[in-house]
Coordinates of all heavy atoms in Angstrom, one line a residue:
M1 N -22.3 19.6 -97.1 CA -23.6 19.3 -97.2 C -24.4 19.7 -96.0 O -25.2 19.0 -95.4 CB -23.6 17.8 -97.4 CG -22.5 17.2 -98.2 SD -22.4 18.1 -99.7 CE -21.3 17.3 -100.7
E2 N -24.2 20.9 -95.7 CA -24.9 21.6 -94.6 C -26.3 22.1 -95.1 O -26.4 22.6 -96.2 CB -24.1 22.8 -94.1 CG -24.6 23.5 -92.9 CD -23.6 24.5 -92.5 OE1 -22.4 24.3 -92.5 OE2 -24.1 25.6 -92.1
P3 N -27.3 21.9 -94.3 CA -28.6 22.4 -94.7 C -28.6 23.9 -94.9 O -27.9 24.6 -94.1 CB -29.5 21.9 -93.6 CG -28.8 20.9 -92.8 CD -27.4 21.1 -93.1
E4 N -29.3 24.4 -95.8 CA -29.3 25.8 -96.1 C -30.0 26.6 -95.0 O -29.6 27.8 -94.8 CB -30.0 26.1 -97.4 CG -29.2 25.5 -98.6 CD -29.9 25.8 -99.9 OE1 -30.8 26.6 -99.9 OE2 -29.6 25.1 -100.8
H5 N -30.9 26.1 -94.2 CA -31.6 26.8 -93.2 C -30.9 26.9 -91.9 O -31.4 27.6 -91.0 CB -33.0 26.2 -93.0 CG -33.0 24.8 -92.4 ND1 -32.8 23.7 -93.2 CD2 -33.1 24.4 -91.2 CE1 -32.8 22.7 -92.4 NE2 -33.0 23.1 -91.2
L6 N -29.8 26.3 -91.7 CA -29.0 26.3 -90.5 C -27.7 26.9 -90.7 O -26.8 26.4 -91.4 CB -28.8 24.9 -90.0 CG -28.4 24.7 -88.5 CD1 -29.4 25.3 -87.6 CD2 -28.2 23.2 -88.2
S7 N -27.5 28.1 -90.1 CA -26.2 28.8 -90.3 C -25.3 28.6 -89.1 O -25.8 28.0 -88.1 CB -26.5 30.3 -90.5 OG -27.0 30.9 -89.3
A8 N -24.1 29.1 -89.1 CA -23.2 29.0 -88.0 C -23.7 29.7 -86.8 O -23.5 29.2 -85.6 CB -21.8 29.5 -88.4
A9 N -24.3 30.8 -87.0 CA -24.9 31.6 -85.8 C -26.0 30.8 -85.2 O -26.1 30.8 -83.9 CB -25.4 33.0 -86.3
D10 N -26.8 30.1 -86.0 CA -27.9 29.3 -85.4 C -27.3 28.2 -84.6 O -27.8 27.9 -83.5 CB -28.8 28.8 -86.5 CG -29.6 29.9 -87.2 OD1 -29.8 31.0 -86.6 OD2 -30.0 29.6 -88.3
G11 N -26.3 27.6 -85.0 CA -25.6 26.5 -84.3 C -25.1 27.0 -83.0 O -25.2 26.3 -81.9
F12 N -24.5 28.2 -83.0 CA -23.9 28.8 -81.8 C -25.0 29.0 -80.8 O -24.9 28.7 -79.6 CB -23.2 30.1 -82.2 CG -22.6 30.8 -81.0 CD1 -21.5 30.3 -80.3 CD2 -23.2 31.9 -80.5 CE1 -21.0 30.9 -79.2 CE2 -22.7 32.6 -79.4 CZ -21.6 32.0 -78.7
V13 N -26.2 29.6 -81.2 CA -27.3 29.9 -80.3 C -27.8 28.6 -79.7 O -28.1 28.5 -78.5 CB -28.4 30.7 -81.1 CG1 -29.6 30.8 -80.3 CG2 -27.9 32.0 -81.5
I14 N -28.0 27.6 -80.5 CA -28.5 26.3 -80.0 C -27.5 25.7 -79.0 O -27.9 25.2 -78.0 CB -28.8 25.3 -81.2 CG1 -30.0 25.9 -82.0 CG2 -29.0 23.9 -80.7 CD1 -30.2 25.1 -83.3
T15 N -26.2 25.8 -79.3 CA -25.2 25.2 -78.4 C -25.3 26.0 -77.1 O -25.2 25.4 -76.0 CB -23.8 25.4 -79.0 OG1 -23.8 24.7 -80.3 CG2 -22.8 24.8 -78.1
M16 N -25.4 27.3 -77.1 CA -25.4 28.1 -75.9 C -26.7 27.8 -75.1 O -26.7 27.7 -73.9 CB -25.4 29.6 -76.2 CG -24.0 30.1 -76.8 SD -22.6 29.6 -75.7 CE -23.0 30.6 -74.3
L17 N -27.8 27.6 -75.8 CA -29.1 27.3 -75.1 C -28.9 25.9 -74.4 O -29.4 25.7 -73.2 CB -30.3 27.3 -76.0 CG -30.7 28.6 -76.5 CD1 -31.8 28.5 -77.5 CD2 -31.3 29.4 -75.3
V18 N -28.3 25.0 -75.0 CA -28.1 23.6 -74.4 C -27.2 23.8 -73.2 O -27.4 23.2 -72.2 CB -27.5 22.6 -75.5 CG1 -27.0 21.4 -74.8 CG2 -28.6 22.3 -76.6
M19 N -26.1 24.6 -73.4 CA -25.2 24.7 -72.2 C -25.9 25.4 -71.0 O -25.6 25.1 -69.9 CB -24.0 25.6 -72.7 CG -23.1 24.9 -73.6 SD -22.4 23.3 -73.0 CE -21.4 23.9 -71.7
M20 N -26.7 26.4 -71.3 CA -27.5 27.0 -70.3 C -28.4 26.1 -69.6 O -28.5 26.1 -68.3 CB -28.2 28.2 -70.8 CG -27.3 29.4 -71.1 SD -28.1 30.8 -72.0 CE -29.5 31.1 -70.9
A21 N -29.1 25.2 -70.3 CA -30.0 24.2 -69.8 C -29.2 23.2 -68.9 O -29.7 22.9 -67.8 CB -30.7 23.5 -70.9
I22 N -28.0 22.8 -69.4 CA -27.2 21.9 -68.6 C -26.8 22.6 -67.3 O -26.8 22.0 -66.2 CB -26.0 21.4 -69.4 CG1 -26.5 20.5 -70.5 CG2 -25.0 20.7 -68.5 CD1 -25.4 20.1 -71.5
S23 N -26.4 23.8 -67.4 CA -25.9 24.6 -66.2 C -27.0 24.7 -65.2 O -26.8 24.5 -64.0 CB -25.4 26.0 -66.6 OG -24.3 25.9 -67.4
L24 N -28.2 25.0 -65.6 CA -29.4 25.1 -64.7 C -29.7 23.8 -64.1 O -30.1 23.7 -62.9 CB -30.6 25.7 -65.4 CG -30.5 27.2 -65.8 CD1 -31.7 27.6 -66.6 CD2 -30.4 28.0 -64.5
G25 N -29.6 22.7 -64.9 CA -29.8 21.4 -64.3 C -28.8 21.0 -63.3 O -29.2 20.5 -62.2
V26 N -27.5 21.4 -63.5 CA -26.5 21.1 -62.4 C -26.8 21.9 -61.2 O -26.7 21.4 -60.0 CB -25.1 21.5 -63.0 CG1 -24.1 21.5 -61.9 CG2 -24.7 20.5 -64.1
L27 N -27.2 23.2 -61.3 CA -27.5 24.0 -60.1 C -28.8 23.4 -59.4 O -28.8 23.4 -58.2 CB -27.8 25.4 -60.6 CG -26.6 26.2 -61.0 CD1 -27.0 27.6 -61.5 CD2 -25.6 26.4 -59.8
G28 N -29.7 22.9 -60.2 CA -30.9 22.3 -59.6 C -30.5 21.1 -58.8 O -31.0 20.8 -57.7
V29 N -29.7 20.2 -59.3 CA -29.2 19.0 -58.6 C -28.5 19.4 -57.3 O -28.6 18.8 -56.3 CB -28.3 18.2 -59.5 CG1 -27.6 17.1 -58.8 CG2 -29.2 17.6 -60.6
M30 N -27.6 20.5 -57.4 CA -26.9 20.9 -56.2 C -27.9 21.4 -55.1 O -27.7 21.1 -53.9 CB -25.9 22.0 -56.6 CG -24.8 21.5 -57.4 SD -23.7 22.9 -58.0 CE -23.1 23.6 -56.5
V31 N -28.9 22.1 -55.5 CA -29.9 22.6 -54.5 C -30.6 21.4 -53.9 O -30.8 21.4 -52.7 CB -30.9 23.6 -55.2 CG1 -32.1 23.9 -54.3 CG2 -30.2 24.9 -55.5
L32 N -31.0 20.4 -54.7 CA -31.7 19.3 -54.1 C -30.8 18.5 -53.2 O -31.2 18.1 -52.1 CB -32.1 18.3 -55.3 CG -33.3 18.8 -56.1 CD1 -33.6 17.9 -57.2 CD2 -34.5 19.0 -55.2
C33 N -29.5 18.4 -53.5 CA -28.5 17.7 -52.6 C -28.4 18.5 -51.3 O -28.3 17.9 -50.2 CB -27.2 17.5 -53.3 SG -27.2 16.3 -54.6
M34 N -28.3 19.8 -51.4 CA -28.2 20.6 -50.2 C -29.5 20.4 -49.3 O -29.3 20.4 -48.1 CB -28.0 22.0 -50.5 CG -26.6 22.3 -51.1 SD -26.2 24.0 -51.7 CE -27.4 25.0 -51.0
R35 N -30.6 20.4 -49.9 CA -31.9 20.3 -49.1 C -31.9 18.9 -48.5 O -32.3 18.8 -47.3 CB -33.1 20.5 -50.0 CG -33.2 21.9 -50.5 CD -34.3 22.1 -51.4 NE -35.5 22.4 -50.6 CZ -36.8 22.5 -51.1 NH1 -36.9 22.3 -52.4 NH2 -37.8 22.8 -50.3
R36 N -31.5 17.9 -49.2 CA -31.5 16.5 -48.6 C -30.5 16.5 -47.4 O -30.8 15.9 -46.4 CB -31.1 15.5 -49.6 CG -32.3 15.2 -50.6 CD -31.9 14.1 -51.5 NE -31.4 12.9 -50.8 CZ -30.7 12.0 -51.4 NH1 -30.2 12.1 -52.6 NH2 -30.3 10.9 -50.7
A37 N -29.3 17.1 -47.6 CA -28.4 17.1 -46.5 C -28.9 17.8 -45.3 O -28.6 17.4 -44.1 CB -27.0 17.6 -47.0
A38 N -29.6 18.9 -45.5 CA -30.1 19.7 -44.4 C -31.2 19.0 -43.7 O -31.4 19.0 -42.5 CB -30.6 21.1 -44.9
A39 N -32.0 18.2 -44.4 CA -33.1 17.4 -43.8 C -32.5 16.3 -43.0 O -33.1 15.9 -42.0 CB -34.0 16.9 -44.9
R40 N -31.4 15.7 -43.3 CA -30.8 14.6 -42.6 C -29.9 15.1 -41.4 O -29.3 14.3 -40.7 CB -29.9 13.8 -43.5 CG -30.7 12.9 -44.4 CD -29.8 11.9 -45.2 NE -29.2 12.7 -46.3 CZ -28.1 12.3 -46.9 NH1 -27.4 11.3 -46.5 NH2 -27.7 13.1 -47.9
R41 N -29.8 16.4 -41.2 CA -29.0 16.9 -40.1 C -29.5 16.5 -38.8 O -30.7 16.4 -38.5 CB -29.0 18.5 -40.2 CG -28.0 19.1 -39.4 CD -28.0 20.6 -39.7 NE -27.0 21.2 -38.8 CZ -26.7 22.4 -38.9 NH1 -27.1 23.2 -39.9 NH2 -25.8 23.0 -38.1
D42 N -28.5 16.2 -37.9 CA -28.8 15.6 -36.6 C -29.3 16.8 -35.7 O -28.6 17.7 -35.4 CB -27.6 15.0 -36.0 CG -27.9 14.1 -34.8 OD1 -29.1 14.1 -34.4 OD2 -26.9 13.6 -34.2
R43 N -30.5 16.6 -35.1 CA -31.1 17.7 -34.3 C -30.3 17.8 -33.0 O -30.2 18.9 -32.4 CB -32.5 17.4 -34.0 CG -33.4 17.3 -35.3 CD -33.6 18.6 -35.9 NE -34.4 18.5 -37.1 CZ -34.2 19.2 -38.2 NH1 -33.2 20.0 -38.3 NH2 -35.0 19.0 -39.2
Q44 N -29.8 16.7 -32.5 CA -29.1 16.7 -31.2 C -27.8 17.6 -31.3 O -27.4 18.3 -30.4 CB -28.7 15.3 -30.7 CG -29.9 14.5 -30.3 CD -29.6 13.1 -30.0 OE1 -28.5 12.6 -30.3 NE2 -30.5 12.4 -29.3
V45 N -27.1 17.5 -32.5 CA -26.0 18.4 -32.7 C -26.3 19.8 -32.6 O -25.6 20.7 -32.0 CB -25.3 18.0 -34.0 CG1 -24.2 19.0 -34.3 CG2 -24.8 16.6 -34.0
D46 N -27.5 20.2 -33.3 CA -27.9 21.6 -33.2 C -28.2 22.0 -31.8 O -27.8 23.1 -31.4 CB -29.2 21.7 -34.1 CG -28.9 21.6 -35.5 OD1 -27.8 21.8 -36.0 OD2 -29.9 21.3 -36.3
E47 N -28.8 21.2 -31.0 CA -29.1 21.5 -29.6 C -27.8 21.7 -28.8 O -27.7 22.6 -28.0 CB -30.0 20.4 -29.0 CG -31.4 20.3 -29.6 CD -32.2 19.1 -29.0 OE1 -31.7 18.4 -28.2 OE2 -33.3 18.9 -29.5
L48 N -26.9 20.8 -29.1 CA -25.6 20.9 -28.4 C -24.9 22.2 -28.7 O -24.3 22.9 -27.9 CB -24.7 19.8 -28.7 CG -23.3 19.7 -28.1 CD1 -23.4 19.7 -26.6 CD2 -22.5 18.5 -28.6
L49 N -24.9 22.6 -30.0 CA -24.3 23.9 -30.4 C -25.0 25.1 -29.8 O -24.3 26.0 -29.4 CB -24.3 24.0 -32.0 CG -23.4 23.0 -32.7 CD1 -23.7 23.1 -34.2 CD2 -22.0 23.3 -32.4
E50 N -26.3 25.0 -29.6 CA -27.0 26.1 -29.0 C -26.6 26.2 -27.5 O -26.5 27.3 -27.0 CB -28.5 25.9 -29.1 CG -29.1 26.1 -30.5 CD -30.5 25.7 -30.7 OE1 -31.2 25.5 -29.6 OE2 -31.0 25.7 -31.8
E51 N -26.5 25.0 -26.8 CA -26.1 25.0 -25.4 C -24.7 25.6 -25.3 O -24.4 26.4 -24.3 CB -26.1 23.6 -24.9 CG -27.5 23.0 -24.7 CD -27.4 21.6 -24.1 OE1 -26.4 21.2 -23.6 OE2 -28.4 20.9 -24.3
I52 N -23.8 25.3 -26.2 CA -22.4 25.8 -26.1 C -22.5 27.3 -26.3 O -21.8 28.1 -25.6 CB -21.5 25.1 -27.1 CG1 -21.3 23.7 -26.7 CG2 -20.2 25.9 -27.3 CD1 -20.6 22.9 -27.8
A53 N -23.3 27.8 -27.2 CA -23.3 29.2 -27.5 C -23.9 30.0 -26.3 O -23.4 31.1 -25.9 CB -24.2 29.5 -28.7
E54 N -24.9 29.4 -25.6 CA -25.5 30.0 -24.4 C -24.4 30.0 -23.3 O -24.4 31.0 -22.6 CB -26.7 29.3 -24.0 CG -27.9 29.5 -24.9 CD -29.1 28.6 -24.5 OE1 -29.1 28.0 -23.4 OE2 -30.0 28.5 -25.3
A55 N -23.7 29.0 -23.1 CA -22.7 28.9 -22.1 C -21.6 30.0 -22.3 O -21.1 30.7 -21.4 CB -22.0 27.6 -22.0
E56 N -21.2 30.2 -23.6 CA -20.2 31.2 -23.9 C -20.7 32.6 -23.7 O -20.0 33.5 -23.2 CB -19.7 31.0 -25.4 CG -18.9 29.8 -25.6 CD -18.5 29.7 -27.1 OE1 -19.0 30.4 -27.9 OE2 -17.7 28.8 -27.3
K57 N -22.0 32.7 -24.0 CA -22.7 34.0 -23.7 C -22.7 34.4 -22.3 O -22.4 35.5 -21.9 CB -24.1 34.0 -24.3 CG -24.8 35.3 -24.4 CD -26.2 35.1 -25.0 CE -26.9 36.4 -25.1 NZ -28.3 36.2 -25.7
R58 N -23.0 33.4 -21.4 CA -23.0 33.6 -20.0 C -21.6 33.9 -19.5 O -21.5 34.7 -18.6 CB -23.6 32.4 -19.3 CG -25.1 32.4 -19.2 CD -25.6 31.2 -18.4 NE -26.0 30.2 -19.4 CZ -25.6 28.9 -19.3 NH1 -24.9 28.5 -18.3 NH2 -25.9 28.0 -20.2
E59 N -20.6 33.3 -20.0 CA -19.2 33.6 -19.6 C -18.8 35.0 -19.9 O -18.0 35.6 -19.2 CB -18.3 32.5 -20.2 CG -18.4 31.1 -19.6 CD -17.5 30.1 -20.3 OE1 -16.7 30.6 -21.2 OE2 -17.6 29.0 -20.0
K60 N -19.2 35.5 -21.0 CA -18.8 36.8 -21.5 C -19.5 37.9 -20.7 O -19.0 39.0 -20.7 CB -19.1 37.0 -23.0 CG -18.2 36.2 -23.9 CD -18.5 36.4 -25.3 CE -17.6 35.6 -26.2 NZ -17.9 35.8 -27.6
Q61 N -20.6 37.6 -20.1 CA -21.3 38.7 -19.3 C -20.5 39.1 -18.1 O -19.7 38.3 -17.6 CB -22.7 38.2 -18.8 CG -23.7 38.0 -20.0 CD -25.0 37.4 -19.5 OE1 -25.1 37.0 -18.4 NE2 -26.0 37.5 -20.3
A62 N -20.6 40.4 -17.8 CA -19.8 40.9 -16.7 C -20.1 40.2 -15.4 O -21.3 40.0 -15.1 CB -20.0 42.4 -16.6
P63 N -19.1 39.9 -14.5 CA -19.4 39.3 -13.2 C -20.1 40.3 -12.3 O -19.9 41.5 -12.3 CB -18.0 38.9 -12.7 CG -17.1 39.8 -13.5 CD -17.7 40.1 -14.8
A64 N -21.0 39.7 -11.5 CA -21.8 40.6 -10.6 C -21.0 40.9 -9.3 O -20.3 40.1 -8.8 CB -23.1 39.8 -10.2
G65 N -21.2 42.1 -8.8 CA -20.7 42.5 -7.5 C -19.2 42.6 -7.5 O -18.5 43.1 -8.4
G66 N -18.6 42.1 -6.4 CA -17.1 42.2 -6.2 C -16.4 41.0 -6.7 O -15.3 40.8 -6.2
E67 N -17.0 40.2 -7.6 CA -16.2 39.1 -8.0 C -15.0 39.5 -8.9 O -15.1 40.5 -9.6 CB -17.2 38.2 -8.9 CG -18.3 37.5 -8.1 CD -19.1 36.6 -9.0 OE1 -18.7 36.4 -10.2 OE2 -20.2 36.3 -8.6
N68 N -14.0 38.7 -8.8 CA -12.8 39.0 -9.6 C -13.1 38.6 -11.0 O -13.4 37.4 -11.3 CB -11.6 38.2 -9.0 CG -10.3 38.6 -9.7 OD1 -10.3 39.4 -10.6 ND2 -9.3 38.0 -9.3
P69 N -12.9 39.5 -12.0 CA -13.2 39.1 -13.4 C -12.3 38.1 -14.0 O -12.6 37.4 -14.8 CB -13.1 40.5 -14.1 CG -12.3 41.3 -13.3 CD -12.5 40.9 -11.9
N70 N -11.0 38.0 -13.5 CA -10.0 37.1 -13.9 C -9.6 36.3 -12.7 O -8.5 36.5 -12.2 CB -8.9 37.7 -14.6 CG -9.3 38.5 -15.8 OD1 -10.1 38.0 -16.6 ND2 -8.7 39.6 -16.1
P71 N -10.3 35.3 -12.3 CA -9.9 34.5 -11.1 C -8.6 33.8 -11.4 O -8.4 33.2 -12.5 CB -11.0 33.6 -10.9 CG -11.7 33.4 -12.2 CD -11.5 34.7 -12.9
A72 N -7.7 33.8 -10.4 CA -6.4 33.1 -10.6 C -6.6 31.6 -10.4 O -7.5 31.1 -9.7 CB -5.4 33.6 -9.5
E73 N -5.7 30.9 -11.1 CA -5.7 29.4 -10.9 C -5.2 29.1 -9.5 O -4.4 29.9 -8.9 CB -4.8 28.8 -12.0 CG -5.3 29.0 -13.4 CD -6.6 28.3 -13.7 OE1 -6.8 27.2 -13.1 OE2 -7.4 28.8 -14.5
P74 N -5.6 27.9 -9.0 CA -5.1 27.6 -7.6 C -3.6 27.5 -7.5 O -3.1 27.8 -6.4 CB -5.7 26.2 -7.4 CG -6.8 26.0 -8.4 CD -6.4 26.9 -9.5
W75 N -2.9 27.3 -8.5 CA -1.4 27.2 -8.4 C -0.7 28.5 -8.6 O 0.5 28.6 -8.4 CB -0.9 26.2 -9.5 CG -1.4 26.4 -10.9 CD1 -2.5 25.9 -11.4 CD2 -0.8 27.3 -11.8 NE1 -2.6 26.4 -12.7 CE2 -1.6 27.3 -13.0 CE3 0.3 28.1 -11.8 CZ2 -1.3 28.0 -14.1 CZ3 0.6 28.9 -12.9 CH2 -0.2 28.8 -14.1
E76 N -1.4 29.5 -9.0 CA -0.8 30.8 -9.2 C -0.6 31.6 -7.9 O -1.4 31.5 -7.0 CB -1.6 31.7 -10.1 CG -1.6 31.2 -11.5 CD -2.5 32.1 -12.5 OE1 -3.3 32.8 -12.0 OE2 -2.2 32.0 -13.7
R77 N 0.5 32.4 -7.8 CA 0.8 33.2 -6.6 C 0.2 34.6 -6.9 O -0.1 35.0 -8.1 CB 2.3 33.4 -6.4 CG 3.0 32.2 -6.0 CD 4.4 32.5 -5.7 NE 5.2 31.4 -5.3 CZ 6.4 31.4 -5.0 NH1 7.1 32.5 -5.1 NH2 7.1 30.3 -4.7
E78 N 0.0 35.4 -5.9 CA -0.4 36.8 -6.1 C 0.7 37.6 -6.7 O 1.9 37.2 -6.7 CB -0.8 37.4 -4.7 CG -2.0 36.7 -4.1 CD -2.4 37.5 -2.8 OE1 -2.0 38.6 -2.6 OE2 -3.1 36.8 -2.0
G79 N 0.3 38.7 -7.4 CA 1.3 39.4 -8.1 C 2.4 40.1 -7.3 O 3.5 40.3 -7.8
D80 N 2.2 40.3 -6.0 CA 3.2 41.0 -5.2 C 3.8 40.0 -4.2 O 4.3 40.4 -3.2 CB 2.6 42.2 -4.5 CG 1.4 41.8 -3.6 OD1 1.0 40.6 -3.7 OD2 1.0 42.7 -2.8
W81 N 4.0 38.8 -4.6 CA 4.5 37.8 -3.6 C 5.9 38.1 -3.3 O 6.4 37.8 -2.2 CB 4.4 36.4 -4.2 CG 5.2 36.2 -5.5 CD1 4.8 36.4 -6.7 CD2 6.6 35.8 -5.5 NE1 5.8 36.2 -7.6 CE2 6.9 35.8 -6.9 CE3 7.5 35.4 -4.6 CZ2 8.2 35.4 -7.4 CZ3 8.8 35.1 -5.1 CH2 9.1 35.1 -6.4
W82 N 6.7 38.8 -4.2 CA 8.1 39.0 -3.9 C 8.3 40.1 -3.0 O 9.4 40.3 -2.4 CB 8.8 39.3 -5.3 CG 8.1 40.4 -6.0 CD1 7.0 40.3 -6.9 CD2 8.5 41.8 -6.0 NE1 6.7 41.5 -7.3 CE2 7.6 42.5 -6.8 CE3 9.5 42.5 -5.3 CZ2 7.6 43.8 -7.0 CZ3 9.5 43.9 -5.5 CH2 8.6 44.5 -6.4
K83 N 7.3 41.0 -2.7 CA 7.5 42.1 -1.8 C 7.5 41.6 -0.3 O 7.9 42.3 0.6 CB 6.4 43.1 -1.9 CG 6.5 43.8 -3.3 CD 5.3 44.8 -3.4 CE 5.4 45.6 -4.7 NZ 4.2 46.5 -4.8
Q84 N 7.0 40.4 0.0 CA 6.9 40.0 1.3 C 8.1 39.5 2.0 O 9.1 39.1 1.4 CB 5.8 38.8 1.4 CG 4.5 39.3 1.0 CD 3.5 38.1 0.9 OE1 3.8 37.0 1.0 NE2 2.2 38.5 0.6

């Protein structure tokens, strides 16, 4: 007792349109959740991460003048200690 004006192809098209609408709705909810999470982000953490990045950047820069690029730890001996 299927209505004559609704064929199987029409049902398929309607089902696909509903699925596409649901998919877009899910994506919209995900975007809203991401925006809310970004808005609640702690600014102090961002500042700390920037400070750490700047410190690493300064460490990577070449040392000035006659500084040793790999300073030895206080407990290490010089490389030719055995020749003495």
